[in-house]
Amino acid sequence: MTFAVAVSGGQDSLYALLALRDAFGASAVFAVHARFRRETDSAVESGLAAVCKKLEVAFHIVDLRDQFHALVVRPFAESYARGETPNPCAHCNRRLKFGLLLDEARKLGAEKLATGHYADFTEHPRYGVVLRRGADPGKDQSYFLALTPVGRLRAAFFPLGTMQKKHVCEALEQRGMPVPAPGESQEICFVPHDDYRAFLRTTGIRLPEGGPMVTGEGLVVGRHQGLWQYTEGQRRGLGVSWTEPLYVVGKDRARNALLLGTAAELKVGRCVAAEINLLVPPELWPNDLFVRIRYRQSAVPADVRIQGPASASARMLIRFHTPQLPAAPGQIAVVYDAEGCVLAGAVLRKDS
């Protein structure tokens, strides 16, 4: 078995490289660094080359900058321009890391692509091989992998699936391994300082202008600065004075209106998703299902029904057992079982 390890320069991917090198030997492992962002970080690349030399593993650089821009960055900007709240990491995993990068790793001789994701891909007595939550609840990244086709995931290897982040840091420190990019990665790797509004203004995508802020009773209580600058559930930054706090409860794109409501009007009982990626056939799903519609949210009990044949037009209908914050179109809905196995992922859509 030959492993390619996708190395970014951070602690997690470096630990994955070290663990596989220790377990299988230097001849069975090589490192591959993908250039995604327009600007090349020469210090990180030279640091990775030095680490690989020390470990006696081959080091390759794959330039995917144009593809990353076309398949991740531009769709991200276009999604925001439509008033959605996209999740670029999930699409990057599907299209780039376990798409084009996996293809390049195979050309270099790899049978598996290992990454520093905190997720597990293990054998299950009912489902077969299945994606599962990582053991560290604060770092679990199964949510971001749920759009990746199961055929692609079968070529993945996750050395950190059963690890805690603190143990990764301790292991690297004990081994005296230099980390070329020691800081924690930011929310969206290509958005400087996590300021997506400033970034979107530099993309050349036409961003819609402002419009009315409207309550459920139809009252216009202010003007928004463009639907792309708001997300469902948002309270801060609305600039509206009212008898009680108001929240974003939805967006009427046809009228270019931002819909506001009180806390009592905020939560919803259902949502709809599309672009369904089935990781486990629905006939094998248990009765008790749990759905996660935000990364920083626990999966909650829900009933899930897939409407229509397995095609691009199929929809996933989700009914929560207890009301939840409104789903943001463009985000990811992930279906889990009680053990944390990922059954399906889909993209949230406007409920209509």
Side-chain angles (χ1 to χ4, degrees), residues 72-88:
V72 178
V73 179
R74 187 171 182 84
F76 168 84
E78 291 172 341
S79 181
Y80 261 113
R82 292 192 298 269
E84 299 172 343
T85 306
N87 191 303

Side-chain angles (χ1 to χ4, degrees), residues 2-339:
T2 301
F3 296 88
V5 183
V7 290
S8 63
Q11 294 174 328
D12 299 330
S13 60
L14 184 57
Y15 177 85
L17 177 64
L18 182 62
L20 286 177
R21 191 262 187 199
D22 287 350
F24 298 99
S27 63
V29 178
F30 64 86
V32 59
H33 175 71
R35 287 177 178 165
F36 289 149
R37 299 168 62 181
R38 291 295 192 192
E39 63 280 5
T40 299
D41 194 329
S42 56
V44 168
E45 290 186 358
S46 60
L48 283 170
V51 167
C52 290
K53 183 177 180 180
K54 179 179 179 180
L55 294 177
E56 299 181 326
V57 298
F59 176 59
H60 302 275
I61 294 176
V62 177
D63 194 337
L64 296 174
R65 287 176 290 186
D66 289 345
Q67 297 92 325
F68 182 73
H69 183 80
L71 297 175
V72 178
V73 179
R74 187 171 182 84
F76 168 84
E78 291 172 341
S79 181
Y80 261 113
R82 292 192 298 269
E84 299 172 343
T85 306
N87 191 303
C89 296
H91 296 292
C92 181
N93 283 326
R94 176 179 62 178
R95 297 168 179 166
L96 271 293
K97 290 179 183 173
F98 296 102
L100 297 178
L101 182 59
L102 173 58
D103 291 342
E104 292 299 318
R106 282 170 165 165
K107 291 177 185 177
L108 292 167
E111 297 164 82
K112 293 277 189 180
L113 177 64
T115 69
H117 285 98
Y118 286 84
D120 209 1
F121 199 63
T122 58
E123 188 71 33
H124 187 278
R126 181 175 176 83
Y127 312 140
V129 181
V130 66
L131 179 67
R132 190 172 181 171
R133 277 196 309 247
D136 188 332
K139 296 294 293 183
D140 166 50
Q141 291 167 305
S142 61
Y143 179 83
F144 297 116
L145 293 163
L147 295 186
T148 304
V150 67
R152 289 280 167 167
L153 286 174
R154 287 197 177 105
F157 193 79
F158 302 122
L160 278 64
T162 60
M163 296 285 293
Q164 300 286 322
K165 174 71 175 187
K166 63 180 182 179
H167 296 147
V168 169
C169 299
E170 290 169 359
L172 291 174
E173 186 176 351
Q174 290 171 2
R175 294 289 292 272
M177 296 299 298
V179 181
E184 282 291 295
S185 59
Q186 59 189 43
E187 287 283 325
I188 302 173
C189 70
F190 56 86
V191 175
H193 313 297
D194 292 329
D195 187 346
Y196 78 90
R197 294 180 180 89
F199 173 78
L200 288 170
R201 293 188 180 97
T202 71
T203 62
I205 298 290
R206 182 184 176 279
L207 298 168
E209 297 179 354
M213 291 180 171
V214 184
T215 68
E217 291 76 29
L219 295 175
V220 176
V221 295
R223 286 190 62 81
H224 65 79
Q225 303 303 307
L227 296 180
W228 59 277
Q229 301 200 54
Y230 306 85
T231 193
E232 284 76 358
Q234 179 179 335
R235 174 185 173 186
R236 296 181 182 276
L238 299 181
V240 175
S241 179
W242 197 245
T243 55
E244 56 184 304
L246 293 178
Y247 301 79
V248 176
V249 298
K251 301 175 184 180
D252 186 334
R253 293 162 183 80
R255 292 191 294 155
N256 192 31
L258 189 69
L259 308 180
L260 304 184
T262 63
E265 300 169 303
L266 179 62
K267 293 189 176 182
V268 299
R270 68 189 292 268
C271 63
V272 176
E275 298 179 50
I276 303 168
N277 180 46
L278 292 174
L279 297 179
V280 174
E283 59 268 23
L284 298 180
W285 291 8
N287 292 327
D288 295 331
L289 300 175
F290 302 82
V291 175
R292 191 174 177 186
I293 58 172
R294 289 174 176 80
Y295 171 57
R296 300 189 185 284
Q297 173 202 41
S298 298
V300 296
D303 298 321
V304 180
R305 180 165 62 92
I306 296 176
Q307 183 182 68
S311 67
S313 62
R315 301 197 311 164
M316 180 183 289
L317 307 181
I318 301 165
R319 293 189 180 276
F320 301 108
H321 291 188
T322 56
Q324 301 295 311
L325 290 175
Q331 282 290 302
I332 310 303
V334 181
V335 184
Y336 294 87
D337 72 3
E339 299 174 339

